[in-house]
Amino acid sequence: MFRELNLQQDNCVYVVEHDNQTIHFAAEELVRYLGVVSNCIITLKIVEKYDNRENGLWVGLSNDFLATTFTSSEQNPYDDEIMIDVSHGNGWVTGVNPRSVLLSVYRFLFELGCRWVRPGVDGEYLPHTDFRSFTINVQERASYRYRGICIEGAVGVEHITEMIDWMAKVGFNSYFIQFREAYHFFERWYSHLNNPHKSPTEDFDVESARTYVAAAKHEIQKRGMIYQAVGHGWTCAPFGIQGLSWEKWEEEIDPEIIPFFAQVNGKRELWEGIPINTELCYSKPEARSKMVKEIELYASLHPEVDLLHVWLSDGSNNQCECERCILETPSDLYIKLMNELDMALTNRGLGTRIVFLIYHELMWPPENERIVNPDRFVLQFAPITRTYRQSFASIGSVPDVPTFVRNKLDLPQAVEGNVSYLKAWGNHFQGDSFDFDYHFMWAHQKDPGYLQIAKVLYEDILHLEQLDLNGFVSCQVQRSFFPNGLPMSVMARTLWNKELSFSHMAEDYFISAYGRDGMACLEYAMKLSELYYELNLDQTSDRQEIDSKLLFSNVNSLIHQFETVIEKNSKQDNLCHASSWKYIKLHAGIWQELNHGLELLDGEDVVQAQRVWEDVKNSVWHIEDSCHQVFDVHNFVGVFDQVFSAKRFEGRMEG
Ligand SMILES: [Zn+2]
């Protein structure tokens, strides 16, 4: 057992906290973890200012200890930078802002050997070590300003609060709660959509969703993270229509609002009955001013929102075809709206920053309008139609943006094609920006080892700088740590430091998560990813002639052989390692069966394949309780229902 440290004066953490909850929390976290790691009692002392006569660990803002050691001349409040200078239990753990102080504390613990391989207590790997035997010097500034995650998938409140907690531990700095209430994401979980074995939570409603959002906000604020909000819904809320989700609107529509809807094919109506997918007749000044008033009201009631997303509808090929709208591109009308919003916010003295979206029709830059006040805005590039089998690294020459033809959009899958729009926007807007991307929306489910998606993500992040993007916000299912959390860990670490090597991060992750046989797990996950990359469940045009029979059989033997390694590791003393092995075992069971179903599908035995898929679903529903923290069953079922759907299969046989 680890030797008990003596209770003496230098087991003390001093915090200069300036009444700031994040700095206070940072110091508490340091005390709590050091107590566990070094098996000792540490006293926390709150002090007014630094006193160099006191030995111990000092926590606070960098300028509490130093005059001007930091590299940045003009500090943007979103930019993180940390400095750790500790020797034998004495020194500073500091950052340039409260959030950076917290990140600095976690980094100090990382240097001691602590790892957080997934959200929740069972994702903590804590070594037993004497922190006083370490000398740690770190001075780093984050490679990218925006390092965030956006809520998607099916979520319970504890899934997001644990996610936010985990995010700060690994270096993220921002969380985005989509829609005002995030209702639909909670509804998927609490109503247990896509799992008929579970009954819906009875009293779940919009009010519960609001309570959960408040709980998430509390965790975001405690950590000083950048809070992003809303997105879609501004096109219907000003007209009294709640945009809670992508559901159809069943109530009556007030005839007075119909003239504001976009006119498509001669009709003004809700697009396919769905409010948030409906565009407006944006050339009407009154349509824009109603939106501006609504956004302004929201911003004034929510000063806690740092970045307010103002997006148009979530549909496409649904733009207004009236005689006035067709005279301008959707982006010109959008920028007009943005400038009017900026003026309204300025007049009201609101500094809320607005995120505008490059997506669908808005991929084409405006022809005449320009953003008047770039400091108000952040550009968000959202290439949702792109493939995740290719990364930003593979961009050769970027093609020209095709001519915009209203309501005849066909956006590219190739990464180059998507990037061409961003380049075109670069001539119109040189302000702050980030990539909003979807690696963990669907694509990750088709990569059972998670190594392939992790590599694409890694390369994407390395190349953000070349695309003039200052960060990344991942629009994703929250529970994407099954079978492992490697890609999520790679996302966090590479956004912080793009100089890190992929193989180094992968080895570190697998050893931390699985212990002794971690490298065997890495090799297994890598092979599984390689085999399924070749099998290509996306069935895109880049599919080569492959011996799929052999590949499926190789997957089968790979999993079968690895089961002996799993068996050998089934008893672990360490909770983190034990949980990692539990999850990889559950995953192997699912994929053994699923691989068989996919093989049948590939052999065109659709009926039998669908029968196997029904069995797989039943097994997954059965085990959901034991893996819901890391695995979004709702999303998994949705993705593979589509893979196994007869309609899709017919298309493939022709192709
Ligand atoms: Zn119109």
Side-chain angles (χ1 to χ4, degrees), residues 259 261-263 268 280-284 320-326 333:
F261 293 155
Q263 179 188 310
R268 293 190 190 268
L280 301 181
C281 182
Y282 299 112
S283 66
K284 283 198 172 89
C320 189
E321 296 165 344
C322 83
E323 54 187 10
R324 278 197 299 174
C325 283
I326 54 165
L333 290 167

Side-chain angles (χ1 to χ4, degrees), residues 114-125:
C114 300
R115 294 292 183 273
W116 293 276
V117 302
R118 63 186 154 259
V121 175
D122 82 348
E124 286 186 343
Y125 173 74

Side-chain angles (χ1 to χ4, degrees), residues 537-567:
L537 297 181
D538 277 340
Q539 309 290 340
T540 48
S541 51
D542 65 339
R543 192 179 193 199
Q544 308 291 320
E545 275 305 305
I546 52 162
D547 186 348
S548 54
K549 222 177 156 42
L550 178 69
L551 290 168
F552 282 115
S553 145
N554 286 348
V555 172
N556 191 46
S557 7
L558 176 70
I559 300 178
H560 189 66
Q561 281 164 19
F562 194 67
E563 275 167 349
T564 54
V565 184
I566 296 176
E567 223 30 67

Side-chain angles (χ1 to χ4, degrees), residues 179 183-184 187 242-248 274-277:
F179 299 93
Y183 175 77
H184 196 50
E187 185 195 23
Q242 265 185 316
L244 288 177
S245 70
W246 294 269
E247 298 290 308
K248 289 194 177 192
I274 303 167
I276 72 151
N277 285 358

